């Protein structure tokens, strides 16, 4: 491995080589080729970034909002110009198809576009004469240095649920990408540099647990946005909050869909297959359990099994491929082990995607789409986040039974219903305990101008990423009460 393959940190407007004692290999999951080496940066490098960001904050917060968003307009254009290159990098290090990578970057850019509305989104309130000659106003001010800690499954998008809003509101920023997929952010930070942000306003620190802990503990960092698995989300929320910081922590999921007998089976199957097997099931909004109600059982089981078996699996850069590998070999082994657990608990692997031979990609971390039928609703496989292309089928008699089952679950990221009945749809929307709801939609991913609303153990905090919630999270309100007696205006 060449020295030039070692990724750098970007701190205080400079690309810096890390003093890390350990580097990890970055792997292309389709081929197992090594793409680069990522430093596990020590706490001291997070501290340098936090210090640089704290100094930069003093100037940046004074840049008027209409001027701050000029950097974001420039960034949007630069991201568009480099769109295909970034999408290819995502596919190479993360494995998803090139179409999925483009979709990811589209949502990232959409968040930049929405954040360009900050001059109006962060406006305050003003009440004249709350008493005679006394006015009260509320202004929003930035909180200071903020940081994002990202997971592996969306290497480009996730920092953009937070960073554009934070910067537009006048905060300075640190991104800690997943150590499994650091190449995309390395590329994006080159583009942030081109957008001309003043030094210290945006910073990149690669690493893993030591870097995260340093972010959680550094006194200058005032707000943290985390996305990842539930145990780490809980840990980040607990330690960050105990240190007096604002924390929003998005966790894992086990997303159910319900199929009613009156659903359009052809459309439902297509959408459910995209949800369960898209991004190789490594999406926090992937369908993981399908609850078929009454007569929906047989047609859906047959159709989804056919769709699973027919899915074209291969290297994501090939435009005809519909599903890529999972992130790495340990993940492949883990998913295969969980499929076996399901079988051991009594399910039938009606489509079994273990040990597939993908011609030309024999070294890749592939699992083909898998359908487990007759999954034990109380078994471990029905409760565990598999994070692979596995759909579990559970059969019930009524929609009430299905909703009760969903509401008894640990997570609340997303739930979907497939039906042609408005009454059933409304009942579902009203009663289901999940923060993102799909009605005849399989991946209910909120647009950038809506919050990404996980519930229960899928989210720790109050304000979510994106849109208005992000503006609330990245600003603190200041209320001012002013008295200007009438007497004093006489002289004017
Ligand atoms: P992960 O929790 O292993 O890692 C996430 C981040 O935390 C990484 O940056 C990693 O370096 C850091 N980290 C890992 N272990 C740590 C520890 N012990 N202490 C401190 N930091 C630690 O998650 P992942 O495997 O990268 O991503 C997949 C998970 O993310 C899935 O559970 C998925 O559901 C979830 N996810 C959730 C959403 C959402 O919106 N709710 C979105 C995407 C992914």
């Amino acid at each position: 491995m060449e020295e030039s393959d070692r990724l750098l940190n970007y701190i205080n407007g400079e690309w810096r080589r890390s003093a890390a004692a350990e580097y990890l290999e970055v792997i292309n999951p389709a081929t197992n080729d090594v793409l680069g080496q990522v430093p596990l940066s020590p706490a001291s490098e997070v501290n340098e970034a936090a210090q640089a960001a704290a100094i930069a904050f003093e100037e940046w917060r004074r840049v008027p909002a209409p001027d701050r968003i000029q950097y974001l307009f420039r960034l949007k254009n630069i991201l568009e110009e480099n769109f295909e290159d970034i999408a290819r990098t995502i596919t190479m290090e993360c494995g998803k198809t090139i179409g999925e990578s483009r979709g990811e970057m589209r949502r990232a850019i959409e968040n930049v576009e929405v954040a360009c509305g900050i001059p109006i989104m962060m406006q305050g309130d003003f009440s004249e004469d709350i008493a005679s000659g006394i006015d009260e106003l509320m202004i929003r001010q930035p909180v200071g240095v903020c940081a994002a800690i990202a997971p592996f499954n969306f290497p480009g998008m996730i920092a953009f649920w937070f960073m554009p809003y934070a910067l537009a509101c006048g905060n300075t920023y640190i991104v800690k990408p997943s150590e499994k997929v650091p190449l995309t952010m390395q590329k994006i930070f080159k583009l942030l540099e081109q957008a001309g942000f003043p030094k210290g306003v945006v910073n990149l620190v690669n690493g893993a647990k030591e870097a995260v802990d340093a972010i959680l503990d550094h006194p200058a960092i005032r707000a943290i946005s985390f996305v990842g698995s539930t145990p780490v989300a809980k840990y980040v929320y607990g330690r960050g909050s105990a240190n007096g910081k604002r924390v929003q922590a998005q966790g894992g999921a086990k997303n159910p869909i319900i199929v009613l007998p009156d659903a359009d089976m052809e459309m439902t199957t297509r959408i459910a297959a995209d949800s369960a097997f898209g991004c190789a099931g490594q999406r926090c909004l992937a369908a993981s359990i399908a609850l078929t109600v009454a007569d929906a059982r047989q047609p859906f089981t047959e159709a989804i099994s056919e769709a699973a078996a027919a899915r074209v699996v291969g290297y994501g850069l090939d435009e005809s491929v519909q599903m890529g590998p999972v992130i790495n070999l340990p993940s492949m082994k883990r998913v295969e082990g969980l499929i076996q657990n399901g079988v051991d608990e009594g399910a039938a692997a009606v489509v079994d995607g273990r040990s597939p031979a993908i011609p030309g990609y024999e070294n890749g971390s592939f699992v083909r789409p898998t359908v487990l039928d007759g999954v034990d609703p109380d078994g471990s496989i029905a409760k565990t986040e598999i994070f692979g292309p596995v759909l579990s089928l559970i059969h019930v008699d009524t929609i009430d039974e299905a909703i009760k089952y969903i509401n008894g679950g640990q997570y609340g990221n997303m739930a979907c219903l497939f039906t042609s009945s408005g009454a059933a749809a409304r009942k579902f929307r009203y009663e289901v305990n999940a923060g993102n709801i799909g009605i005849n939609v399989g991946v209910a991913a909120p647009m950038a101008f809506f919050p990404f609303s996980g519930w229960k153990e899928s989210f720790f905090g109050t304000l979510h990423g994106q849109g208005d919630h992000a503006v609330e999270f990245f600003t603190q309100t200041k209320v001012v009460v002013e008295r200007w007696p009438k007497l004093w205006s006489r002289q004017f």
Side-chain angles (χ1 to χ4, degrees):
M1 181 66 47
E2 305 283 323
E3 189 63 19
S4 59
D5 293 324
R6 293 191 155 191
L7 301 191
L8 303 174
N9 293 330
Y10 185 72
I11 297 173
N12 203 26
E14 290 167 6
W15 289 98
R16 295 188 188 169
R17 190 160 300 290
S18 172
E22 197 185 340
Y23 275 74
L24 294 184
E25 287 183 336
V26 185
I27 303 287
N28 180 334
T31 58
N32 239 334
D33 291 343
V34 178
L35 300 171
Q37 291 202 349
V38 62
L40 300 188
S41 301
S44 59
E45 289 167 5
V46 170
N47 297 348
E48 285 169 23
Q51 209 179 353
I55 292 168
F57 175 67
E58 294 308 322
E59 292 295 317
W60 182 244
R61 62 161 293 204
R62 288 181 161 75
V63 176
D67 295 343
R68 287 198 299 259
I69 62 169
Q70 300 310 315
Y71 294 85
L72 294 183
F73 282 118
R74 275 203 292 281
L75 178 62
K76 138 99 182 151
N77 289 334
I78 296 170
L79 288 170
E80 294 287 4
E81 283 157 19
N82 292 274
F83 188 85
E84 204 53 29
D85 184 33
I86 303 171
R88 286 178 68 84
T89 306
I90 293 174
T91 291
M92 284 168 69
E93 68 175 346
C94 182
K96 61 182 69 173
T97 68
I98 186 71
E100 290 166 344
S101 298
R102 291 178 187 132
E104 166 172 357
M105 280 317 293
R106 190 45 56 208
R107 179 58 45 81
I109 292 174
E110 197 187 280
N111 274 287
V112 177
E113 292 164 353
V114 172
C116 286
I118 280 297
I120 196 156
M121 289 167 88
M122 75 179 290
Q123 266 178 351
D125 293 326
F126 191 104
S127 294
E128 197 173 49
D129 279 336
I130 52 158
S132 182
I134 301 182
D135 306 328
E136 184 159 343
L137 58 139
M138 185 276 285
I139 49 183
R140 289 185 187 283
Q141 295 193 333
V143 295
V145 181
C146 306
I149 302 161
F152 78 78
N153 61 329
F154 286 92
M157 176 183 72
I158 283 183
F160 283 86
W161 286 351
F162 315 109
M163 179 169 62
Y165 304 96
L167 296 173
C169 289
N171 303 281
T172 52
Y173 216 70
I174 302 171
V175 177
K176 204 297 283 172
S178 163
E179 64 279 21
K180 294 179 187 137
V181 292
L183 295 172
T184 303
M185 264 307 133
Q186 188 94 165
K187 199 152 253 177
I188 287 175
F189 263 73
K190 297 245 162 74
L191 305 179
L192 280 160
E193 191 180 26
Q194 280 178 32
F197 285 95
K199 69 175 186 173
V201 170
V202 286
N203 302 275
L204 173 71
V205 182
N206 287 290
K209 182 167 173 55
E210 184 175 343
V212 171
D213 287 349
I215 289 172
L216 297 176
D217 292 343
H218 198 289
I221 299 176
R222 303 308 309 146
I224 297 173
S225 304
F226 172 89
V227 181
S229 58
T230 289
V232 185
K234 262 188 197 169
Y235 165 74
V236 164
Y237 186 73
R239 186 157 165 175
S241 305
N243 283 330
K245 303 175 195 309
R246 292 182 176 198
V247 187
Q248 46 183 197
Q250 300 185 206
K254 182 81 185 171
N255 302 305
I257 63 172
I258 299 178
V259 185
L260 294 188
D262 66 3
D264 174 332
M265 248 352 125
E266 190 277 323
M267 181 189 76
T268 300
T269 309
R270 186 167 33 81
I271 294 173
D274 282 345
S275 177
F277 310 131
C279 296
Q282 300 172 116
R283 190 155 48 184
C284 64
L285 297 180
S288 183
I289 295 178
L291 294 141
T292 55
V293 174
D295 292 346
R297 175 179 186 158
Q298 196 203 345
F300 183 74
T301 306
E302 284 172 12
I304 196 74
S305 301
E306 246 174 68
R311 210 153 184 94
V312 180
V313 179
Y315 188 19
L317 285 184
D318 174 349
E319 298 271 355
S320 65
V321 157
Q322 295 174 306
M323 195 184 97
V326 295
I327 188 67
N328 54 27
L329 289 173
S331 178
M332 181 185 95
K333 294 267 171 270
R334 183 179 161 278
V335 173
E336 289 185 343
L338 288 168
I339 295 171
Q340 186 57 44
N341 290 356
V343 172
D344 294 345
E345 288 175 1
V350 285
V351 184
D352 188 342
R354 286 174 287 183
S355 313
I358 308 293
Y361 298 100
E362 288 76 8
N363 294 331
S365 305
F366 289 94
V367 183
R368 282 192 56 88
T370 296
V371 179
L372 293 176
D373 190 20
V375 165
D376 175 2
D378 300 316
S380 72
I381 206 70
K383 316 262 178 205
T384 308
E385 181 181 36
I386 299 176
F387 227 52
V390 182
L391 184 65
S392 296
L393 305 185
I394 295 176
H395 307 293
V396 295
D397 295 326
T398 63
I399 184 173
D400 287 298
E401 217 181 307
I403 291 176
K404 188 164 177 239
Y405 183 76
I406 292 173
N407 287 349
Q410 174 189 3
Y411 301 104
N413 219 29
M414 182 189 77
C416 303
L417 177 71
F418 291 86
T419 185
S420 52
S421 156
R426 187 177 191 282
K427 173 187 173 71
F428 179 81
R429 187 182 79 196
Y430 196 88
E431 293 181 7
V432 164
N433 292 335
N436 299 292
I437 299 291
I439 305 290
N440 296 317
V441 164
V443 181
M447 297 289 283
F449 38 88
F450 282 93
F452 195 106
S453 295
W455 281 19
K456 295 164 82 178
E457 297 229 331
S458 297
F459 181 72
F460 302 92
T462 309
L463 294 165
H464 297 86
Q466 301 197 141
D468 287 347
H469 276 223
V471 177
E472 282 278 342
F473 186 77
F474 290 117
T475 54
Q476 46 197 344
T477 53
K478 185 179 271 181
V479 173
V480 184
V481 186
E482 295 185 352
R483 183 197 307 276
W484 296 107
K486 194 173 171 198
L487 195 63
W488 294 6
S489 359
R490 291 233 175 97
Q491 51 193 298
F492 298 105

Short mmCIF file of all heavy atoms in Angstrom, two decimals, residues 149-189:
data_model
loop_
_atom_site.label_atom_id
_atom_site.label_comp_id
_atom_site.label_asym_id
_atom_site.label_seq_id
_atom_site.Cartn_x
_atom_site.Cartn_y
_atom_site.Cartn_z
N ILE A 149 -21.60 11.93 13.53
CA ILE A 149 -20.96 10.60 13.56
C ILE A 149 -21.84 9.71 12.69
O ILE A 149 -23.04 9.54 12.99
CB ILE A 149 -20.89 10.07 15.01
CG1 ILE A 149 -20.11 11.05 15.90
CG2 ILE A 149 -20.28 8.67 15.04
CD1 ILE A 149 -20.36 10.85 17.39
N ALA A 150 -21.27 9.16 11.62
CA ALA A 150 -22.10 8.52 10.59
C ALA A 150 -21.90 7.00 10.53
O ALA A 150 -20.84 6.49 10.91
CB ALA A 150 -21.77 9.13 9.24
N PRO A 151 -22.91 6.27 10.02
CA PRO A 151 -22.81 4.82 9.83
C PRO A 151 -22.28 4.51 8.44
O PRO A 151 -22.03 5.42 7.64
CB PRO A 151 -24.25 4.36 9.96
CG PRO A 151 -25.02 5.49 9.34
CD PRO A 151 -24.25 6.75 9.64
N PHE A 152 -22.16 3.21 8.13
CA PHE A 152 -21.54 2.85 6.84
C PHE A 152 -22.52 2.85 5.66
O PHE A 152 -22.09 2.90 4.51
CB PHE A 152 -20.88 1.46 6.93
CG PHE A 152 -21.84 0.30 6.87
CD1 PHE A 152 -22.37 -0.12 5.65
CD2 PHE A 152 -22.24 -0.37 8.02
CE1 PHE A 152 -23.27 -1.19 5.59
CE2 PHE A 152 -23.13 -1.43 7.96
CZ PHE A 152 -23.65 -1.83 6.75
N ASN A 153 -23.83 2.79 5.94
CA ASN A 153 -24.71 2.42 4.82
C ASN A 153 -25.10 3.57 3.89
O ASN A 153 -25.62 3.31 2.81
CB ASN A 153 -25.96 1.67 5.34
CG ASN A 153 -26.80 2.50 6.27
OD1 ASN A 153 -26.28 3.36 6.98
ND2 ASN A 153 -28.09 2.27 6.27
N PHE A 154 -24.87 4.82 4.30
CA PHE A 154 -25.06 5.96 3.39
C PHE A 154 -23.84 6.87 3.53
O PHE A 154 -23.88 7.89 4.21
CB PHE A 154 -26.36 6.71 3.71
CG PHE A 154 -27.59 5.98 3.28
CD1 PHE A 154 -28.26 5.11 4.12
CD2 PHE A 154 -28.07 6.14 1.98
CE1 PHE A 154 -29.39 4.42 3.71
CE2 PHE A 154 -29.21 5.45 1.55
CZ PHE A 154 -29.86 4.59 2.42
N PRO A 155 -22.74 6.52 2.86
CA PRO A 155 -21.48 7.25 3.08
C PRO A 155 -21.54 8.72 2.69
O PRO A 155 -20.83 9.54 3.24
CB PRO A 155 -20.48 6.53 2.16
CG PRO A 155 -21.14 5.25 1.75
CD PRO A 155 -22.61 5.44 1.89
N GLY A 156 -22.44 9.06 1.73
CA GLY A 156 -22.51 10.45 1.27
C GLY A 156 -23.63 11.24 1.92
O GLY A 156 -23.47 12.40 2.26
N MET A 157 -24.78 10.62 2.12
CA MET A 157 -25.98 11.38 2.47
C MET A 157 -26.06 11.80 3.93
O MET A 157 -26.52 12.91 4.24
CB MET A 157 -27.22 10.55 2.11
CG MET A 157 -28.53 11.19 2.53
SD MET A 157 -29.95 10.13 2.16
CE MET A 157 -29.76 8.83 3.39
N ILE A 158 -25.65 10.92 4.84
CA ILE A 158 -26.08 11.12 6.23
C ILE A 158 -25.54 12.40 6.85
O ILE A 158 -26.27 13.13 7.51
CB ILE A 158 -25.83 9.84 7.05
CG1 ILE A 158 -26.96 8.88 6.66
CG2 ILE A 158 -25.80 10.13 8.56
CD1 ILE A 158 -27.05 7.59 7.34
N ALA A 159 -24.29 12.75 6.56
CA ALA A 159 -23.77 14.01 7.11
C ALA A 159 -24.62 15.20 6.61
O ALA A 159 -24.73 16.22 7.30
CB ALA A 159 -22.32 14.20 6.73
N PHE A 160 -25.24 15.02 5.44
CA PHE A 160 -26.03 16.12 4.86
C PHE A 160 -27.41 16.26 5.50
O PHE A 160 -28.12 17.22 5.22
CB PHE A 160 -26.13 15.96 3.34
CG PHE A 160 -24.87 16.37 2.65
CD1 PHE A 160 -23.83 15.47 2.47
CD2 PHE A 160 -24.70 17.67 2.21
CE1 PHE A 160 -22.66 15.85 1.85
CE2 PHE A 160 -23.52 18.07 1.59
CZ PHE A 160 -22.49 17.15 1.41
N TRP A 161 -27.83 15.30 6.33
CA TRP A 161 -29.08 15.50 7.09
C TRP A 161 -28.88 16.61 8.12
O TRP A 161 -29.82 17.15 8.67
CB TRP A 161 -29.46 14.23 7.85
CG TRP A 161 -30.00 13.13 7.01
CD1 TRP A 161 -30.36 13.18 5.70
CD2 TRP A 161 -30.26 11.78 7.44
NE1 TRP A 161 -30.82 11.95 5.30
CE2 TRP A 161 -30.77 11.08 6.34
CE3 TRP A 161 -30.12 11.11 8.65
CZ2 TRP A 161 -31.14 9.73 6.40
CZ3 TRP A 161 -30.48 9.77 8.72
CH2 TRP A 161 -30.99 9.09 7.61
N PHE A 162 -27.61 16.93 8.41
CA PHE A 162 -27.29 17.83 9.52
C PHE A 162 -26.40 19.01 9.10
O PHE A 162 -26.73 20.16 9.34
CB PHE A 162 -26.56 17.04 10.63
CG PHE A 162 -27.19 15.70 10.94
CD1 PHE A 162 -26.57 14.50 10.57
CD2 PHE A 162 -28.42 15.65 11.57
CE1 PHE A 162 -27.16 13.27 10.85
CE2 PHE A 162 -29.02 14.42 11.85
CZ PHE A 162 -28.39 13.22 11.49
N MET A 163 -25.27 18.70 8.46
CA MET A 163 -24.23 19.70 8.23
C MET A 163 -24.70 20.96 7.50
O MET A 163 -24.35 22.07 7.93
CB MET A 163 -23.05 19.05 7.49
CG MET A 163 -21.91 20.00 7.19
SD MET A 163 -20.44 19.13 6.62
CE MET A 163 -21.02 18.37 5.12
N PRO A 164 -25.48 20.86 6.40
CA PRO A 164 -25.84 22.10 5.70
C PRO A 164 -26.63 23.05 6.59
O PRO A 164 -26.43 24.27 6.55
CB PRO A 164 -26.72 21.61 4.53
CG PRO A 164 -26.42 20.17 4.37
CD PRO A 164 -26.02 19.67 5.73
N TYR A 165 -27.51 22.50 7.44
CA TYR A 165 -28.32 23.34 8.33
C TYR A 165 -27.43 23.96 9.40
O TYR A 165 -27.57 25.14 9.73
CB TYR A 165 -29.43 22.51 8.99
CG TYR A 165 -30.29 21.81 7.96
CD1 TYR A 165 -30.04 20.48 7.59
CD2 TYR A 165 -31.33 22.49 7.33
CE1 TYR A 165 -30.81 19.85 6.63
CE2 TYR A 165 -32.11 21.86 6.37
CZ TYR A 165 -31.84 20.53 6.03
OH TYR A 165 -32.60 19.92 5.07
N ALA A 166 -26.52 23.12 9.96
CA ALA A 166 -25.65 23.62 11.01
C ALA A 166 -24.82 24.80 10.49
O ALA A 166 -24.73 25.84 11.13
CB ALA A 166 -24.73 22.50 11.49
N LEU A 167 -24.24 24.64 9.30
CA LEU A 167 -23.39 25.69 8.74
C LEU A 167 -24.22 26.92 8.41
O LEU A 167 -23.83 28.05 8.71
CB LEU A 167 -22.68 25.18 7.48
CG LEU A 167 -21.68 24.03 7.69
CD1 LEU A 167 -21.18 23.52 6.34
CD2 LEU A 167 -20.50 24.49 8.56
N ALA A 168 -25.36 26.70 7.79
CA ALA A 168 -26.20 27.84 7.40
C ALA A 168 -26.64 28.63 8.61
O ALA A 168 -26.77 29.85 8.56
CB ALA A 168 -27.42 27.33 6.62
N CYS A 169 -26.85 27.95 9.75
CA CYS A 169 -27.26 28.63 10.98
C CYS A 169 -26.10 29.35 11.67
O CYS A 169 -26.31 30.01 12.68
CB CYS A 169 -27.89 27.64 11.96
SG CYS A 169 -29.51 27.03 11.45
N GLY A 170 -24.87 29.16 11.17
CA GLY A 170 -23.73 29.88 11.74
C GLY A 170 -22.86 29.05 12.67
O GLY A 170 -22.00 29.59 13.37
N ASN A 171 -23.09 27.74 12.69
CA ASN A 171 -22.23 26.85 13.49
C ASN A 171 -21.02 26.42 12.68
O ASN A 171 -21.02 26.51 11.45
CB ASN A 171 -23.01 25.58 13.88
CG ASN A 171 -24.27 25.90 14.65
OD1 ASN A 171 -24.23 26.18 15.83
ND2 ASN A 171 -25.40 25.89 13.95
N THR A 172 -20.02 25.87 13.37
CA THR A 172 -18.90 25.24 12.67
C THR A 172 -19.00 23.74 12.90
O THR A 172 -19.72 23.30 13.81
CB THR A 172 -17.56 25.83 13.11
OG1 THR A 172 -17.48 25.77 14.54
CG2 THR A 172 -17.43 27.26 12.66
N TYR A 173 -18.27 22.94 12.08
CA TYR A 173 -18.66 21.53 12.00
C TYR A 173 -17.49 20.56 11.92
O TYR A 173 -16.44 20.86 11.34
CB TYR A 173 -19.56 21.34 10.77
CG TYR A 173 -20.64 20.33 11.04
CD1 TYR A 173 -21.68 20.62 11.91
CD2 TYR A 173 -20.60 19.05 10.48
CE1 TYR A 173 -22.65 19.68 12.21
CE2 TYR A 173 -21.56 18.11 10.77
CZ TYR A 173 -22.60 18.45 11.64
OH TYR A 173 -23.55 17.52 11.94
N ILE A 174 -17.74 19.36 12.49
CA ILE A 174 -16.78 18.24 12.39
C ILE A 174 -17.56 17.02 11.92
O ILE A 174 -18.63 16.72 12.48
CB ILE A 174 -16.14 17.92 13.76
CG1 ILE A 174 -15.41 19.15 14.32
CG2 ILE A 174 -15.18 16.73 13.64
CD1 ILE A 174 -14.93 18.99 15.75
N VAL A 175 -17.05 16.33 10.90
CA VAL A 175 -17.67 15.06 10.47
C VAL A 175 -16.73 13.91 10.79
O VAL A 175 -15.53 13.97 10.49
CB VAL A 175 -17.97 15.07 8.95
CG1 VAL A 175 -18.55 13.73 8.51
CG2 VAL A 175 -18.94 16.20 8.59
N LYS A 176 -17.28 12.86 11.40
CA LYS A 176 -16.53 11.61 11.64
C LYS A 176 -17.28 10.53 10.85
O LYS A 176 -18.30 10.02 11.27
CB LYS A 176 -16.54 11.28 13.13
CG LYS A 176 -15.40 10.41 13.62
CD LYS A 176 -15.36 9.02 13.02
CE LYS A 176 -16.38 8.06 13.62
NZ LYS A 176 -16.44 6.76 12.88
N PRO A 177 -16.76 10.20 9.64
CA PRO A 177 -17.45 9.18 8.83
C PRO A 177 -17.25 7.80 9.41
O PRO A 177 -16.42 7.60 10.30
CB PRO A 177 -16.74 9.28 7.47
CG PRO A 177 -15.62 10.24 7.61
CD PRO A 177 -15.50 10.65 9.04
N SER A 178 -18.01 6.84 8.88
CA SER A 178 -17.77 5.44 9.26
C SER A 178 -16.40 5.02 8.74
O SER A 178 -16.04 5.30 7.60
CB SER A 178 -18.84 4.54 8.65
OG SER A 178 -18.40 3.19 8.70
N GLU A 179 -15.66 4.33 9.58
CA GLU A 179 -14.32 3.87 9.17
C GLU A 179 -14.41 2.81 8.07
O GLU A 179 -13.41 2.49 7.43
CB GLU A 179 -13.54 3.34 10.39
CG GLU A 179 -14.11 2.11 11.08
CD GLU A 179 -15.26 2.40 12.06
OE1 GLU A 179 -15.91 3.47 11.93
OE2 GLU A 179 -15.52 1.55 12.92
N LYS A 180 -15.62 2.27 7.84
CA LYS A 180 -15.76 1.27 6.76
C LYS A 180 -15.87 1.93 5.40
O LYS A 180 -15.57 1.31 4.39
CB LYS A 180 -17.01 0.42 7.01
CG LYS A 180 -16.91 -0.44 8.25
CD LYS A 180 -18.17 -1.25 8.48
CE LYS A 180 -18.09 -1.97 9.81
NZ LYS A 180 -19.34 -1.90 10.57
N VAL A 181 -16.35 3.18 5.36
CA VAL A 181 -16.60 3.84 4.06
C VAL A 181 -16.13 5.30 4.09
O VAL A 181 -16.91 6.22 3.85
CB VAL A 181 -18.11 3.78 3.70
CG1 VAL A 181 -18.56 2.38 3.40
CG2 VAL A 181 -18.96 4.36 4.83
N PRO A 182 -14.85 5.54 4.32
CA PRO A 182 -14.40 6.93 4.50
C PRO A 182 -14.06 7.65 3.20
O PRO A 182 -13.80 8.85 3.22
CB PRO A 182 -13.12 6.73 5.33
CG PRO A 182 -12.59 5.40 4.87
CD PRO A 182 -13.77 4.56 4.52
N LEU A 183 -14.04 6.93 2.06
CA LEU A 183 -13.55 7.55 0.81
C LEU A 183 -14.50 8.63 0.29
O LEU A 183 -14.07 9.65 -0.24
CB LEU A 183 -13.39 6.47 -0.27
CG LEU A 183 -12.33 5.41 -0.02
CD1 LEU A 183 -12.42 4.32 -1.07
CD2 LEU A 183 -10.94 6.02 -0.01
N THR A 184 -15.80 8.39 0.46
CA THR A 184 -16.79 9.33 -0.08
C THR A 184 -16.64 10.70 0.60
O THR A 184 -16.61 11.73 -0.07
CB THR A 184 -18.21 8.78 0.12
OG1 THR A 184 -18.28 7.50 -0.51
CG2 THR A 184 -19.25 9.68 -0.47
N MET A 185 -16.52 10.71 1.94
CA MET A 185 -16.39 12.00 2.64
C MET A 185 -15.06 12.67 2.32
O MET A 185 -14.97 13.89 2.25
CB MET A 185 -16.51 11.81 4.15
CG MET A 185 -17.88 12.06 4.70
SD MET A 185 -18.60 13.66 4.26
CE MET A 185 -20.21 13.13 3.77
N GLN A 186 -14.02 11.86 2.10
CA GLN A 186 -12.73 12.42 1.70
C GLN A 186 -12.93 13.23 0.41
O GLN A 186 -12.46 14.34 0.27
CB GLN A 186 -11.72 11.29 1.48
CG GLN A 186 -10.32 11.73 1.26
CD GLN A 186 -9.49 11.76 2.56
OE1 GLN A 186 -8.29 11.85 2.50
NE2 GLN A 186 -10.10 11.73 3.71
N LYS A 187 -13.67 12.64 -0.50
CA LYS A 187 -13.95 13.30 -1.79
C LYS A 187 -14.83 14.53 -1.58
O LYS A 187 -14.57 15.60 -2.13
CB LYS A 187 -14.67 12.27 -2.68
CG LYS A 187 -14.62 12.59 -4.11
CD LYS A 187 -14.70 11.34 -4.97
CE LYS A 187 -13.36 11.03 -5.60
NZ LYS A 187 -13.33 9.81 -6.38
N ILE A 188 -15.86 14.38 -0.76
CA ILE A 188 -16.79 15.50 -0.55
C ILE A 188 -16.08 16.66 0.16
O ILE A 188 -16.35 17.83 -0.15
CB ILE A 188 -18.04 15.01 0.24
CG1 ILE A 188 -18.92 14.17 -0.70
CG2 ILE A 188 -18.83 16.16 0.83
CD1 ILE A 188 -20.12 13.50 -0.07
N PHE A 189 -15.15 16.37 1.04
CA PHE A 189 -14.44 17.46 1.71
C PHE A 189 -13.52 18.21 0.74
O PHE A 189 -13.29 19.41 0.90
CB PHE A 189 -13.69 16.97 2.96
CG PHE A 189 -14.51 17.21 4.20
CD1 PHE A 189 -15.62 16.43 4.48
CD2 PHE A 189 -14.21 18.25 5.06
CE1 PHE A 189 -16.41 16.68 5.60
CE2 PHE A 189 -14.98 18.52 6.18
CZ PHE A 189 -16.08 17.73 6.46
#
